[in-house]
Amino acid sequence: MKRRSLPVATALTATAALLLTACGGGDDDSGENDKIAGADQSSSQPTKSPSPSGAPAADKPDGVDVSLPKDMNLVFDWEKPKDKNEAAAMEDAANFFRAIYRGVDKRTSREAAVAAYATGEGLHYAKTQIDAWIEGGWTATGTLRHYDATTRSASNGNSVEVAFCADSGKFYGKEIKTDKILTTEPSIEDFDHYKIIMVKYPTGNGLWQASKVFVETKAAKCQ
């Protein structure tokens, strides 16, 4: 576990797209190793919402609500892989991030979507991020863009690495009590590179869960 420590004043104005905690090393280079870290991770039973939501059906992949407020815009600007498993893993990696920000919006790390799309260290990562936003008294607003995605399958067929860049330059914290938007000046801090290890839920229903999260912050290659 690698924690990015931020002074309080800086944290209050951070554009903060999952920047407080990164599980795994920031200098991880999977390109030099054909073995995907965490490929042997098992998946856990997703928890469904106890009551139906008013979200449109399109916002309920796998029967789980991942809808977000209109001012919390997560963009996934990437092409769908031809491989069926990799395409499903990539989509559920996006749902993993939607679930995190749904938890931020709903002010709980026990959001059903988080339990559905995360397991193991991925679940711990998601809960840590959500709790940090809650404890800070913030929600999020603006556009968080994800792009330059690649996928790589493990030999066992049950694990896929989804790697991508994220630009939080137009994504800000907003104080719950005052509605004040905590804007920042554009900088290298806005760019992060993620590697998410997605594992197949063992029911054959096509659900994938984030089991590990590796983050390279201040990622110049994403500029």
Side-chain angles (χ1 to χ4, degrees):
M1 179 69 67
K2 180 181 179 183
R3 177 176 295 274
R4 174 188 288 191
S5 58
L6 297 177
V8 174
T10 304
L12 287 173
T13 57
T15 52
L18 306 182
L19 298 183
L20 297 180
T21 304
C23 293
D27 57 353
D28 173 70
D29 186 358
S30 61
E32 297 180 358
N33 190 340
D34 289 336
K35 183 178 179 181
I36 297 177
D40 58 349
Q41 292 288 309
S42 60
S43 186
S44 64
Q45 175 71 39
T47 302
K48 302 297 183 181
S49 299
S51 59
S53 167
D59 292 328
K60 292 184 179 180
D62 305 303
V64 181
D65 194 346
V66 291
S67 60
L68 297 170
K70 291 182 179 179
D71 67 337
M72 196 183 290
N73 186 27
L74 270 59
V75 174
F76 297 91
D77 186 13
W78 53 39
E79 294 185 6
K80 189 175 181 179
K82 293 181 179 179
D83 181 87
K84 182 178 179 180
N85 279 348
E86 292 184 1
M90 176 182 279
E91 179 57 31
D92 283 348
N95 287 331
F96 170 63
F97 280 84
R98 293 183 182 109
I100 289 175
Y101 283 103
R102 182 172 172 81
V104 170
D105 176 57
K106 299 299 182 182
R107 316 307 291 165
T108 177
S109 59
R110 296 184 178 182
E111 169 60 37
V114 174
Y117 292 108
T119 186
E121 292 180 23
L123 183 60
H124 176 73
Y125 174 86
K127 289 183 175 181
T128 299
Q129 301 309 303
I130 295 168
D131 287 342
W133 283 85
I134 294 171
E135 291 170 9
W138 316 308
T139 185
T141 188
T143 298
L144 176 57
R145 179 172 170 255
H146 308 79
Y147 54 99
D148 288 350
T150 60
T151 53
R152 190 164 61 107
S153 297
S155 59
N156 62 13
N158 294 323
S159 178
V160 173
E161 177 190 271
V162 181
F164 54 89
C165 288
D167 177 1
S168 61
K170 296 181 180 180
F171 196 66
Y172 309 107
K174 182 171 71 171
E175 293 180 350
I176 297 292
K177 291 184 178 180
T178 65
D179 281 337
K180 179 182 178 181
I181 296 176
L182 307 172
T183 58
T184 58
E185 293 297 323
S187 74
I188 189 64
E189 296 273 0
D190 297 334
F191 298 94
D192 300 286
H193 186 262
Y194 290 88
K195 291 180 183 177
I196 313 297
I197 306 303
M198 303 297 295
V199 293
K200 192 173 184 179
Y201 183 68
T203 59
N205 64 359
L207 175 66
W208 292 74
Q209 296 178 307
S211 66
K212 287 182 180 290
V213 180
F214 298 89
V215 188
E216 177 189 344
T217 60
K218 300 180 182 179
K221 61 188 174 186
C222 291
Q223 285 184 302

